Amino acid sequence: MSTFEGIPGAAFRFYAELEENNNREWWLEHKTTYDAEVKEPLTALLSELEPQFGPAKIFRPNRDVRFSQDKSPYKTAQGAFAATQEGMGYYVQISADGLLIGGGYHSHTPAQLARFRAAVDAPASGEELQSIIDAVAASGFAIEGEKLKTVPRGFDKDHPRAELLKHKSLSAGVEVGQPDWLSTPAAKDEIAARWEVLRPLVEWVSEHAAP
């Protein structure tokens, strides 16, 4: 396993060019660039973060086009996910725009959603989550996730945590762009620091909304 030296600028240029040339011929011609400038640095990064956050999976670069009108074959971003539970954990993504760092939970079965809402409704766990969300937002993260337009049935529309109850999934993300540290080994510590900000959120959803 190679030592992480940073995510090179060539990785972001690769995706900028892919957006203009999303076809199999171009990809095959530039696959060595993808392997060397995107996949290998990301693999090294995740390997070095594993002791702190657990093993991560790098997503496939191919799009699933079976049910999409857009038949372009490749994703225009490379994501990876360090899961603490199914659908819950820490996320990182490389695209033409730069680096995105996030975490939270994305999957939701009916039973999981019921547990999540019950925990949000309960004063102790709900107030804990609100405090976590406030701290994460204050650190510069956008609070995201699939939401209902109204408070779900069975809960008071004036509930003190009405906005959290609307969530069907709950995550937070920040786009950091392409800062100078990104192409250096310091990127590992910068990413780890942001994942640590998200750790209370990931641990809360892992405890209260696990599958």
Side-chain angles (χ1 to χ4, degrees), residues 184-197:
T184 75
K188 181 187 76 170
D189 293 333
E190 295 283 352
I191 293 167
R194 287 162 176 80
W195 276 2
E196 283 294 352
V197 171

Side-chain angles (χ1 to χ4, degrees), residues 12-60:
F12 309 104
R13 292 193 294 273
F14 173 85
Y15 281 105
E17 293 176 15
L18 176 61
E19 289 180 358
E20 302 297 325
N21 301 277
N22 200 328
N23 58 76
R24 186 171 183 271
E25 292 74 22
W26 186 92
W27 179 272
L28 293 177
E29 289 177 5
H30 295 81
K31 188 176 184 302
T32 55
T33 300
Y34 168 79
D35 289 338
E37 309 294 352
V38 178
K39 189 175 182 180
E40 289 179 12
L42 193 54
T43 299
L45 168 68
L46 297 170
S47 176
E48 294 187 16
L49 290 173
E50 182 172 342
Q52 194 172 351
F53 299 99
K57 175 184 178 182
I58 297 177
F59 298 138
R60 295 176 68 248

Side-chain angles (χ1 to χ4, degrees), residues 4-209:
F4 177 67
E5 299 293 341
I7 299 174
F12 309 104
R13 292 193 294 273
F14 173 85
Y15 281 105
E17 293 176 15
L18 176 61
E19 289 180 358
E20 302 297 325
N21 301 277
N22 200 328
N23 58 76
R24 186 171 183 271
E25 292 74 22
W26 186 92
W27 179 272
L28 293 177
E29 289 177 5
H30 295 81
K31 188 176 184 302
T32 55
T33 300
Y34 168 79
D35 289 338
E37 309 294 352
V38 178
K39 189 175 182 180
E40 289 179 12
L42 193 54
T43 299
L45 168 68
L46 297 170
S47 176
E48 294 187 16
L49 290 173
E50 182 172 342
Q52 194 172 351
F53 299 99
K57 175 184 178 182
I58 297 177
F59 298 138
R60 295 176 68 248
N62 305 76
R63 294 182 64 247
D64 184 351
V65 299
R66 290 173 299 171
F67 308 107
S68 175
Q69 291 184 344
D70 178 3
K71 298 301 181 182
S72 53
Y74 301 102
K75 299 172 184 174
T76 55
Q78 179 61 69
F81 193 64
T84 57
Q85 300 265 0
E86 183 179 351
M88 303 180 182
Y90 306 93
Y91 182 71
V92 65
Q93 176 183 285
I94 297 169
S95 71
D97 295 328
L99 184 72
L100 182 149
I101 303 168
Y105 95 95
H106 298 277
S107 62
H108 52 83
T109 64
Q112 179 183 4
L113 185 56
R115 287 193 294 274
F116 170 76
R117 288 174 175 167
V120 173
D121 181 43
S125 54
E127 289 172 7
E128 179 187 15
L129 177 59
Q130 186 65 67
S131 177
I132 290 169
I133 289 296
D134 291 345
V136 167
S139 295
F141 286 83
I143 306 305
E144 302 166 334
E146 184 181 355
K147 291 180 68 175
L148 300 174
K149 292 183 178 180
T150 60
V151 175
R153 184 178 302 173
F155 298 96
D156 189 336
K157 65 180 178 62
D158 296 320
H159 193 286
R161 292 173 294 283
E163 289 305 309
L164 286 175
L165 283 170
K166 293 177 185 178
H167 278 267
K168 299 178 70 174
S169 61
L170 180 62
S171 60
V174 59
E175 295 186 13
V176 301
Q178 300 182 46
D180 292 341
W181 52 257
L182 191 51
S183 60
T184 75
K188 181 187 76 170
D189 293 333
E190 295 283 352
I191 293 167
R194 287 162 176 80
W195 276 2
E196 283 294 352
V197 171
L198 296 175
R199 187 184 290 276
L201 171 60
V202 172
E203 291 181 344
W204 192 97
V205 294
S206 295
E207 177 182 355
H208 297 287

